[in-house]
Amino acid sequence: MEKILLNVAAPDIETYIKAGGYRALKKAFAMKPEDVTAEVKKSNLRGRGGAGFPTGLKWSFIPKTNPKPRYLVCNADESEPGTFKDRELLRKNPHLLVEGLTISSYAIGAKQCYVYIRGEFAEEAELLKNAVREAAQRGFIGKNILNSGFDLEIITHRGAGAYICGEETALLESIEGKRGLPRLKPPFPAVVGLFGCPTVINNVETLASVPAIIEKGGDWYAGLGAGKSAGTKLFSVSGPVKKPGVYEIELGMPFKKFLEEYAGGMLEGSVLKAVIPGGSSVPVLTAGEALKMNLDYESVQQAGSMLGSGGIIIIDDKACMVETLLVLAGFYHHESCGQCTPCREGGGWIEKLLAKMEKGEARETDVDLVYSIAENMLARTLCPLGDALAMPVMSFITKFRPEFEAHAKGKP
């Protein structure tokens, strides 16, 4: 399989250029901005941050008659438990992102681009800043880039470790110097975004995919993968497997093949029990469900979960599902911004009840109570953080109810 994102390790600009870097940028400048957007539309590239929304379509939402400045914002606040693919890209090939940022900014007419990077990614932030400096020195960023008449400034903005700032509108609030609280939508960022101006927000992997699309064409990219799930995707794999890490595959690969050939299979003495396929915020699947599915947006949805960010968390037969869910509930309760009552109060209530179950101190009726609380959180908050806890809770209890009932009866 031809790799697009992990095809070369190029921490410096010379290595990147020798590997063909910035050729796509030169090609993009020979095109009209709307033609660049059309090529990305044709590719069927979908957002790799979790939602899977068509990228070119998102770009086209920018109002053409709005006189205000336009912004491109790159979401590098990778904070979903089980997900570490964007960090790998920033480490191995920061210039691929820089080229993707420049092409994408040209396509939407943005003269300023912000990269909002997770505060804990200190090393990665320095690598990116260095890549931006190198690109500027070689004329790939700045005034009149490659004599195209296009100007661009790329600004790296470090966050302070709040999971909620991975949500696009909370991220915008944070860049503006405010507390990272999600905004009410509409208006959507494409119309009223950063500093009240039209804004496109994409994550690292999405933007890093753009250079290959422009260089080789949207039809070529659309021919990879599986139908509406076009192209390649990075998957982060963690848990009791022989080869945890980050892998790039064409979408549509059977999960069973991926587990055995890429992740190396389960560790000796471990038996697959469950899989969280898209980062900790998506519904869990049983081993039987996971081994039948393919790794693309539609197939994972048919299996009863979501592809999300591609953070595959492997759970083996030694794991207690009550304890596992308690860890997740503690995380989401702690990271709630507190704006919405269902998320703020429901998260804490669920965590307390699960803690009682784990200690064998709960009542038998508490299993249904936890499920009911989660059900009443679903789709009732400003942002998806409430859902990010509710969906795992409901699926864990549905798929592994006997374990929860045993804990509630004081027999963990």
Side-chain angles (χ1 to χ4, degrees):
M1 188 210 83
E2 183 179 3
K3 291 183 180 179
I4 296 171
L5 301 166
L6 299 179
N7 60 325
V8 62
D12 63 89
I13 195 166
E14 295 299 333
T15 307
Y16 184 65
I17 290 174
K18 284 179 183 176
Y22 292 107
R23 280 194 314 226
L25 179 60
K26 295 172 184 175
K27 183 178 178 181
F29 283 146
M31 303 164 65
K32 294 178 181 178
E34 57 266 30
D35 293 337
V36 175
T37 299
E39 208 64 36
V40 174
K41 272 187 180 178
K42 195 189 300 181
S43 73
N44 289 332
L45 173 67
R46 295 167 67 170
R48 304 303 198 216
F53 192 82
T55 304
L57 182 61
K58 191 175 192 178
W59 292 3
S60 68
F61 290 158
I62 293 283
K64 294 178 174 56
T65 57
N66 193 322
K68 291 183 177 181
R70 300 173 181 183
Y71 293 100
L72 174 68
V73 174
C74 174
N75 186 345
D77 189 68
E78 187 174 50
S79 48
E80 177 79 353
T83 308
F84 41 93
K85 60 184 179 63
D86 289 349
R87 188 178 195 180
E88 187 78 355
L89 271 176
L90 291 165
R91 282 180 169 181
K92 296 286 179 65
N93 203 352
H95 278 283
L96 181 63
L97 175 61
V98 172
E99 185 174 14
L101 293 171
T102 311
I103 294 171
S104 304
S105 296
Y106 172 70
I108 68 168
K111 300 293 180 72
Q112 274 194 331
C113 169
Y114 284 81
V115 180
Y116 188 94
I117 189 165
R118 187 160 179 75
E120 290 87 344
F121 290 180
E123 181 184 348
E124 292 76 12
E126 288 306 311
L127 287 170
L128 181 60
K129 287 178 183 177
N130 185 60
V132 170
R133 280 193 294 268
E134 288 182 329
Q137 288 166 3
R138 297 293 291 267
F140 297 122
I141 302 172
K143 299 286 186 182
N144 191 25
I145 303 169
L146 301 177
N147 296 315
S148 64
F150 179 69
D151 305 336
L152 178 66
E153 180 185 15
I154 296 178
I155 301 156
T156 303
H157 184 107
R158 284 182 66 185
Y163 173 80
I164 192 65
C165 288
E167 193 278 330
E168 60 179 20
T169 60
L171 184 153
L172 296 179
E173 292 285 292
S174 182
I175 291 177
E176 292 177 3
K178 304 168 190 171
R179 185 180 174 192
L181 298 176
R183 298 175 180 174
L184 182 65
K185 294 184 285 189
F188 292 94
V191 180
V192 181
L194 188 63
F195 307 123
C197 299
T199 304
V200 166
I201 307 164
N202 288 125
N203 88 315
V204 171
E205 185 184 351
T206 309
L207 294 164
S209 301
V210 171
I213 291 169
I214 298 306
E215 184 173 1
K216 298 188 178 182
D219 288 332
W220 165 79
Y221 191 85
L224 303 174
K228 293 180 181 179
S229 297
T232 67
K233 171 96 183 73
L234 298 182
F235 286 89
S236 321
V237 189
S238 58
V241 293
K242 292 176 182 175
K243 293 164 60 180
V246 178
Y247 299 97
E248 181 179 5
I249 64 167
E250 278 193 45
L251 285 165
M253 178 180 287
F255 169 75
K256 185 177 181 181
K257 179 180 179 181
F258 177 80
L259 176 63
E260 293 171 355
E261 296 185 12
Y262 285 78
M266 301 294 293
L267 287 174
E268 297 298 332
S270 291
V271 177
L272 183 66
K273 177 178 182 178
V275 177
I276 302 175
S280 64
S281 61
V282 306
V284 69
L285 298 174
T286 64
E289 290 169 332
L291 292 171
K292 293 176 186 175
M293 75 175 179
N294 295 335
L295 290 172
D296 60 75
Y297 291 97
E298 288 72 34
S299 297
V300 177
Q301 188 174 10
Q302 288 170 7
S305 189
M306 292 157 36
L307 192 68
S309 59
I312 298 177
I313 302 172
I314 303 294
I315 301 171
D316 70 1
D317 57 332
K318 300 180 185 66
C320 166
M321 300 307 277
V322 177
E323 181 185 23
T324 303
L325 186 58
L326 173 59
V327 171
L328 295 182
F331 173 80
Y332 287 109
H333 176 219
H334 179 268
E335 294 296 337
S336 172
C337 76
Q339 241 188 142
C340 306
T341 303
C343 181
R344 181 186 67 243
E345 301 300 327
W349 197 359
I350 286 172
E351 185 185 11
K352 287 176 185 176
L353 289 169
L354 289 173
K356 284 186 175 182
M357 281 187 206
E358 179 60 19
K359 295 174 184 175
E361 298 172 358
R363 300 169 299 177
E364 292 185 41
T365 55
D366 284 345
V367 177
D368 287 327
L369 179 57
V370 170
Y371 188 95
S372 175
I373 296 166
E375 193 172 33
N376 281 285
M377 289 170 62
L378 202 63
R380 289 176 173 86
T381 51
L382 276 174
C383 85
L385 196 148
D387 294 0
L389 173 57
M391 288 192 293
V393 167
M394 294 166 70
S395 63
F396 266 69
I397 291 176
T398 300
K399 305 287 177 67
F400 300 96
R401 190 178 183 94
E403 287 191 42
F404 286 86
E405 289 178 342
H407 275 260
K409 292 174 182 176
K411 300 176 182 178

